[in-house]
Amino acid sequence: DQQVKQNSPSLSVQEGRISILNCDYTNSMFDYFLWYKKYPAEGPTFLISISSIKDKNEDGRFTVFLNKSAKHLSLHIVPSQPGDSAVYFCAASINTGNQFYFGTGTSLTVIP
Amino acid sequence: GAGVSQSPSNKVTEKGKDVELRCDPISGHTALYWYRQRLGQGLEFLIYFQGNSAPDKSGLPSDRFSAERTGESVSTLTIQRTQQEDSAVYLCASSLFSGGDTQYFGPGTRLTVL
């Protein structure tokens, strides 16, 4: 049972444009969300997080938006750079819990 | 080193053999997680250790899977009588504390069961 879903397995974007990666979840108890970035042959690295008390969190070129009513979050990368090409995973947890539930990932390619 | 390390990086084994995967967390991190990622699937939680507390084994897929951790140091994940469906990348992560704290991942061990 996939509680966190990333329905787009891949995305291609021109350098300088905006990349929007989407994530949906089913468990309304989730209240902490993270995005990880993964390069080939490396483990995921933390990118940005958001708590359910917020609807937006920004860190440089990366902004995460949370829509609790729609159980949807998105990661915006502006402007996109070739070095952003990687697989992006969203993850969710119930704050006091130990388990993180990950999506299947979206492979982003930024075209120079 | 400063990051989480895992060994071996690649392991090829025959069906029915046992394998042991190792994870060295970041020094001082109290929490340690094991995940696996099968081809085309998301990261699947396996087991979680927090200090000296009893581990959360709720994600282990069968009794062929077990893991140990001594204190806040190295962890080993053991898979007995491997099956082809065990083929996956096994990722270890550690975090300073538990719950929603950011996890730092190792590079993973790619396990192939022939």
Side-chain angles (χ1 to χ4, degrees):
Chain A
D1 179 28
Q2 193 74 25
Q3 297 193 52
V4 178
K5 299 177 185 178
Q6 293 176 257
N7 292 318
S8 297
S10 62
L11 175 69
S12 290
V13 171
Q14 206 71 33
E15 181 178 4
R17 299 291 185 105
I18 184 171
S19 295
I20 300 176
L21 297 103
N22 293 304
C23 180
D24 296 288
Y25 60 95
T26 58
N27 190 339
S28 58
M29 297 293 290
F30 288 147
D31 58 3
Y32 187 65
F33 305 88
L34 307 94
W35 283 92
Y36 283 85
K37 173 174 160 179
K38 184 181 184 303
Y39 292 117
E42 296 182 14
T45 56
F46 170 75
L47 197 55
I48 192 168
S49 65
I50 189 166
S51 163
S52 61
I53 61 173
K54 295 177 135 184
D55 54 18
K56 176 183 172 181
N57 189 26
E58 193 172 349
D59 183 3
R61 296 185 297 113
F62 302 90
T63 303
V64 56
F65 295 92
L66 176 62
N67 182 334
K68 290 184 288 293
S69 61
K71 296 194 186 72
H72 177 84
L73 68 156
S74 60
L75 175 68
H76 292 210
I77 307 173
V78 182
S80 302
Q81 299 174 355
D84 296 329
S85 297
V87 177
Y88 289 79
F89 290 95
C90 67
S93 75
I94 301 169
N95 195 41
T96 56
N98 305 325
Q99 289 195 29
F100 281 80
Y101 297 85
F102 285 80
T104 51
T106 296
S107 178
L108 172 67
T109 302
V110 179
I111 304 162
Chain B
V4 177
S5 60
Q6 291 185 246
S7 61
S9 55
N10 277 286
K11 176 71 178 178
V12 180
T13 190
E14 292 179 349
K15 178 181 170 181
K17 295 285 181 71
D18 298 351
V19 295
E20 192 173 277
L21 312 179
R22 177 187 168 109
C23 172
D24 284 85
I26 293 173
S27 177
H29 279 194
T30 63
L32 187 147
Y33 306 76
W34 282 98
Y35 297 88
R36 74 175 174 184
Q37 184 180 17
R38 291 191 277 193
L39 193 64
Q41 299 187 23
L43 289 165
E44 178 186 356
F45 168 80
L46 296 178
I47 188 169
Y48 160 78
F49 295 90
Q50 172 59 51
N52 293 317
S53 303
D56 175 357
K57 303 179 182 180
S58 59
L60 293 178
S62 77
D63 59 7
R64 296 185 296 104
F65 287 73
S66 63
E68 291 184 351
R69 187 187 189 197
T70 306
E72 295 181 359
S73 62
V74 170
S75 175
T76 55
L77 176 70
T78 301
I79 309 172
Q80 295 178 307
R81 305 180 303 282
T82 52
Q83 304 294 312
Q84 288 183 330
E85 63 262 27
D86 300 334
S87 296
V89 175
Y90 288 82
L91 287 155
C92 172
S94 70
S95 65
L96 191 57
F97 303 112
S98 66
D101 200 33
T102 302
Q103 298 176 33
Y104 296 85
F105 284 81
T109 294
R110 180 175 296 279
L111 174 66
T112 304
V113 182
L114 301 175

